[in-house]
Amino acid sequence: MIPFLDLKAVTELHADEIQQAALNVIQSGWYLRGQATAAFEQHYAEYIGCRHCIGVANGLDALTLIYRAYIEMGVMQPGDEVIVPANTYIASILAITESGLSPVLIEPDTDTLEMDDCLIEQAITSRTRSILIVHLYGRCAYTERIGELCRKNNLKLVEDNAQAHGCRYKNQRTGSLGDAAGHSFYPGKNLGALGDGGAVTTNDDALADCIRALANYGSSRKYVHRYKGRNSRLDEIQAAILDVKLRHLDLDNRHRQQIARYYYDHISHPLISLPRRLDDKQNVYHIFPVRCTERDRLQQYLTEQGIQTLIHYPIPPHRQECYKAWNSMVLPVTEQIARQELSLPISPVLTLQEAQAVVRVLNDF
Ligand SMILES: *Cc1c(COP(=O)(O)O)cnc(C)c1O
């Protein structure tokens, strides 16, 4: 069987270093808000190219805290609009609605699977305060046009970098392209913890201070609470493990890119289409999405041939029960992607032989 993602093998790649890092924390007697978290925050900020990195409990919290902070700072008011892709994981949308902000869903371009720039411009109103771009599947979603729209209309550019650690736009990392970015270290992500974790990166000193306080019960001085904050912490064991894995991230991503190159060069089935190819810097292939009009039959066939695949995502946010008011919205491109998308195995531990087997079976469909 070729698994979609063999997490056990991913951990085994760097097992000795990971175990030593975890053991050091266990033996230190200090488990929260200590040196390991501070060290990882510094290293990750340097890696992304931002002045600040704030470790938090998970990726959803990272994004939620960014918008909550903008509200606390008076930059946004509940009811303000945030432009966001319709084709994304639900967390991107939850982060917006959590603070009473209003998501404006934008259809993707069929070729790139990213927000259609022309539709973004049309969606800007006097209530628009922010554009949340999502580097979905590990593909860079930033464009000059989006940057320009943000500058011209005074919108905060926020990045959902949960799927794109290490990805670049020109020579800058995603996560440093806008005003703030949310990162997830969910185990299956390119930079994954052995549990939950997340971070915010930003160059905005005031935003960083506000988020640090919000994540710490609304307090920046012990027993003094400025905001009705919450508890959202990256713990010391996860931070120590992430610090180890960060050192190997670029190599792990290079391996993903080699697998992806093989897929791009060899998948040739007439019913299977691939998203427009980006250069290697701009895609760290968290997911390798293909599309097929007979997706379910294709998935069944691959399963029978011993190849595990997943769907990202079968039900788009506007069709979820939690967003009932949007259920009748018609977003044909997003809905088509939900019907046709299939994610092939890709990871730092998938071998080229396995990728060859995937292609052979796929082209025989
Ligand atoms: C994983 C993910 C998140 C949420 O991260 P968690 O750490 O699971 O909370 C947010 N956005 C996207 C696009 C994701 O893939």
Side-chain angles (χ1 to χ4, degrees), residues 81-291:
E81 293 168 2
V82 178
I83 287 173
V84 63
N87 179 46
T88 184
Y89 182 55
I90 190 95
S92 321
I93 313 288
L94 289 170
I96 298 168
T97 56
E98 173 76 16
S99 292
L101 296 164
S102 183
V104 176
L105 306 179
I106 302 294
E107 281 268 75
D109 176 285
T110 44
D111 208 22
T112 63
L113 308 179
E114 294 297 345
M115 277 193 287
D116 185 328
D117 279 3
C118 304
L119 298 179
I120 298 179
E121 185 154 17
Q122 290 164 23
I124 296 175
T125 73
S126 61
R127 293 298 310 258
T128 311
R129 292 293 172 272
S130 171
I131 299 179
L132 174 57
I133 56 173
V134 182
H135 304 298
L136 199 69
Y137 309 130
R139 295 170 65 92
C140 176
Y142 179 83
T143 63
E144 295 289 339
R145 182 96 180 269
I146 291 175
E148 213 171 278
L149 286 173
C150 285
R151 280 190 297 277
K152 220 172 65 190
N153 296 283
N154 196 23
L155 309 177
K156 295 295 181 192
L157 178 58
V158 178
E159 301 174 76
D160 181 339
N161 200 44
Q163 301 194 358
H165 320 99
C167 182
R168 273 185 261 220
Y169 178 78
K170 296 192 175 161
N171 279 324
Q172 241 176 300
R173 300 269 186 199
T174 58
S176 72
L177 301 169
D179 295 285
H183 309 254
S184 163
F185 306 124
Y186 176 83
K189 301 285 158 84
N190 289 34
L191 179 58
L194 306 191
D196 271 316
V200 174
T201 54
T202 181
N203 284 314
D204 181 333
D205 299 344
L207 183 74
D209 284 349
C210 186
I211 289 172
R212 245 184 223 292
L214 282 171
N216 182 37
Y217 303 101
S219 166
S220 37
R221 201 146 53 88
K222 208 167 183 181
Y223 305 126
V224 180
H225 301 269
R226 179 161 179 200
Y227 311 108
K228 297 186 195 87
R230 61 163 90 186
N231 170 10
S232 184
R233 298 188 278 235
L234 180 64
D235 73 67
E236 289 279 288
I237 289 182
Q238 297 306 337
I241 291 169
L242 286 166
D243 216 15
V244 168
K245 293 187 74 175
L246 178 60
R247 294 199 285 272
H248 301 286
L249 177 60
D250 286 343
L251 256 181
D252 287 353
N253 281 342
R254 220 165 298 153
H255 184 85
R256 288 176 184 271
Q257 288 161 344
Q258 278 163 7
I259 299 290
R261 201 170 312 143
Y262 187 83
Y263 282 159
Y264 266 109
D265 291 344
H266 295 88
I267 293 173
S268 62
H269 194 286
L271 282 179
I272 294 166
S273 64
L274 311 182
R276 189 198 301 158
R277 199 167 176 175
L278 300 172
D279 82 49
D280 261 5
K281 280 183 177 173
Q282 290 187 64
N283 197 338
V284 291
Y285 296 100
H286 174 59
I287 300 283
F288 194 92
V290 304
R291 268 175 305 159

